[in-house]
Amino acid sequence: VIELESPNPDFLLLMSHYSMVLVHPPSVEEDQQGWQQPENWVGNGAFVPVSWEPNSALVMDANPEYWDADAVEVGRIDMRLGSDAPTNVLAFRGGDLEVITVSGSTVQTDADLKESVVQVDGYGTTYLQAMWGGHPAIEDARVRRALSMAVDRDALADLSEGRQSGTALIPDVVPGWSDEIAVSFDVDGAKALLEEAGLLDDMPGVRIQYNFDEPWLEVLREVWIDALGIDVDIEILESGVHSDTRWEPHDDDSVMSFYAGTFSGLPTLNNWIYNIFGYDYVRQFSLSADDWAELQAVQNDDRLDGPEIAARAEEILSSRSSEEAQEFAGLVDEAVSTLDETEREAKFVQAAKVREDIAQTIPLTWNPQLWAVADDVEGVQPRPSPEGYYYKYLRPSGD
């Protein structure tokens, strides 16, 4: 029996994740690293590893001791690890690989590959995140909302197979999703907000940093230029530099600076509001650059123990974040502690609406998980999770 200290509406779904599979504790404790090697494997799944070359290849055989072994129809799975996408596509065409992950942009230009695709819609979100520093206009929620309202998301979605117009941070496949949180493409409304903020005729430029030079960036640039007449600069950084700088204040105060990113996760309101872009995230990004620096100093102070760090960090987040961010945090806390499902969904939607209005994080598109599956394979059952589908149900076509 598992007894929770507090309600968790995603508990049963999370228990289906591979990390929650039960294994024999004494065997794992006896050799905490070696048990993962094929020769010492401890597990109880439908397949067991027989050889593993990290970052290269993994071979798994059907597990004769599996409780439902008669339902497993594939005797061996040979996985290629770490290959680049073009190499995998070539191997798929040649029959060397039978299930591969593919990008929407690849499928968009390949009619033959498109015939083989299965997908999970709305698995992830592409977004822009307002950075600390830069031009002070970025601190005005009206300005951020105006930028969000001036995004033609349909134009971005049309660039990639399966991509959808991301009208909210939460994809609309999530049960309980409501169009109350959707952001419409409304240039006139955006201009009205800028006029209210006193910036309609004096709008600063926008800078976007990302670590991939993708077509949607240029489309977004043109959309904002056409809609608002602003300067937009795209800066593509090496991945390490992007990661190191995206949570640092931007020095150039002549532009409003954003970084682009993607996030994906299980399709529940709890996950997309409590875990992803959750209340600590929202409160942090509503801090001033100086308060953010102080929070970082507290969290990195090795003279403090864990409880002291947590208490001081919470004092900063609860007292210096914006009123809207604190409202969002309060609504999320209420939602996760509400037992009635209907009431909980309503509170989550209310919180999500506040988060969209704050517009610190601007949704752009909803992105699918895509696989190309060969004609001689059946039983690929897509699931919105990191592992993608269950190996157990794979079978040769026609069986």
Side-chain angles (χ1 to χ4, degrees):
V1 176
I2 299 175
E3 186 172 326
L4 303 180
E5 292 184 357
S6 58
N8 185 342
D10 291 351
F11 179 72
L12 291 178
L13 183 60
L14 292 171
M15 288 296 291
S16 71
H17 189 266
Y18 56 78
S19 65
M20 301 303 294
V21 171
L22 299 177
V23 295
H24 185 238
S27 299
V28 173
E29 291 166 2
E30 183 178 348
D31 188 355
Q32 296 187 18
Q33 297 298 322
W35 74 268
Q36 301 174 62
Q37 300 300 317
E39 62 271 20
N40 304 317
W41 178 253
V42 178
N44 54 20
F47 292 87
V48 295
V50 294
S51 68
W52 177 34
E53 299 174 33
N55 302 317
S56 178
L58 172 65
V59 178
M60 302 183 296
D61 281 353
N63 181 5
E65 305 300 324
Y66 181 58
W67 70 273
D68 196 21
D70 290 343
V72 179
E73 298 185 40
V74 173
R76 169 164 289 193
I77 294 177
D78 191 344
M79 299 183 66
R80 180 178 296 175
L81 308 174
S83 298
D84 60 71
T87 300
N88 286 342
V89 171
L90 287 174
F92 180 80
R93 294 191 191 284
D96 294 327
L97 292 177
E98 293 174 301
V99 183
I100 61 171
T101 57
V102 288
S103 69
S105 57
T106 298
V107 176
Q108 183 88 349
T109 58
D110 193 324
D112 292 336
L113 197 61
K114 186 175 181 178
E115 293 287 326
S116 303
V117 165
V118 297
Q119 70 184 57
V120 172
D121 288 327
Y123 177 57
T125 293
T126 298
Y127 63 92
L128 294 180
Q129 176 62 54
M131 297 174 66
W132 295 280
H135 193 286
I138 201 169
E139 299 172 10
D140 191 327
R142 295 169 297 182
V143 174
R144 298 191 303 265
R145 280 202 302 273
L147 288 170
S148 183
M149 292 165 64
V151 176
D152 184 351
R153 294 171 171 86
D154 288 342
L156 304 184
D158 287 344
L159 297 171
S160 182
E161 181 67 25
R163 189 173 287 179
Q164 299 169 269
S165 177
T167 57
L169 291 173
I170 308 169
D172 65 355
V173 297
V174 174
W177 190 89
S178 170
D179 59 10
E180 294 176 49
I181 65 176
V183 180
S184 300
F185 180 43
D186 181 2
V187 175
D188 289 339
K191 289 180 176 179
L193 283 174
L194 295 179
E195 185 171 20
E196 181 182 324
L199 290 170
L200 181 60
D201 298 319
D202 192 26
M203 185 69 165
V206 170
R207 168 191 175 267
I208 301 172
Q209 75 169 58
Y210 198 35
N211 55 333
F212 299 106
D213 188 6
E214 297 188 351
W216 64 263
L217 286 162
E218 183 59 30
V219 172
L220 176 61
R221 177 177 178 274
E222 294 299 327
V223 164
W224 270 348
I225 291 173
D226 290 344
L228 303 176
I230 59 176
D231 294 327
V232 181
D233 179 49
I234 309 296
E235 188 170 353
I236 306 300
L237 303 177
E238 187 272 330
S239 291
V241 176
H242 173 66
S243 297
D244 289 343
T245 60
R246 61 183 180 171
W247 278 42
E248 292 182 356
H250 186 61
D251 292 332
D252 184 353
D253 62 5
S254 69
V255 295
M256 298 181 291
S257 190
F258 293 81
Y259 75 77
T262 61
F263 225 115
S264 58
L266 296 174
T268 68
L269 288 176
N270 183 75
N271 191 45
W272 275 100
I273 300 174
Y274 180 72
N275 296 324
I276 302 176
F277 311 119
Y279 58 72
D280 275 354
Y281 183 96
V282 170
R283 290 191 298 174
Q284 286 178 42
F285 275 100
S286 77
L287 296 174
S288 69
D290 288 342
D291 288 337
W292 164 249
E294 184 176 341
L295 177 63
Q296 290 290 92
V298 167
Q299 292 176 330
N300 294 321
D301 191 340
D302 55 13
R303 297 170 299 176
L304 304 176
D305 60 21
E308 287 179 301
I309 290 174
R312 294 194 186 185
E314 178 58 27
E315 187 279 327
I316 294 172
L317 289 170
S318 62
S319 63
R320 304 188 209 176
S321 58
S322 70
E323 291 183 6
E324 296 84 358
Q326 293 177 41
E327 180 186 4
F328 171 74
L331 289 168
V332 174
D333 270 338
E334 289 180 23
V336 296
S337 61
T338 299
L339 296 179
D340 181 85
E341 184 175 355
T342 301
E343 292 180 13
R344 183 171 63 247
E345 285 188 357
K347 290 182 184 295
F348 269 138
V349 168
Q350 187 180 358
K353 180 66 169 64
V354 171
R355 187 173 63 181
E356 295 296 344
D357 287 344
I358 296 173
Q360 291 171 175
T361 312
I362 297 175
L364 300 176
T365 60
W366 297 326
N367 312 320
Q369 279 183 310
L370 297 173
W371 300 270
V373 181
D375 292 339
D376 59 352
V377 175
E378 294 181 354
V380 174
Q381 298 186 8
R383 60 191 304 260
S385 63
E387 67 270 30
Y389 55 90
Y390 291 110
Y391 300 141
K392 170 182 176 178
Y393 301 109
L394 296 176
R395 62 184 183 276
S397 181
D399 286 8

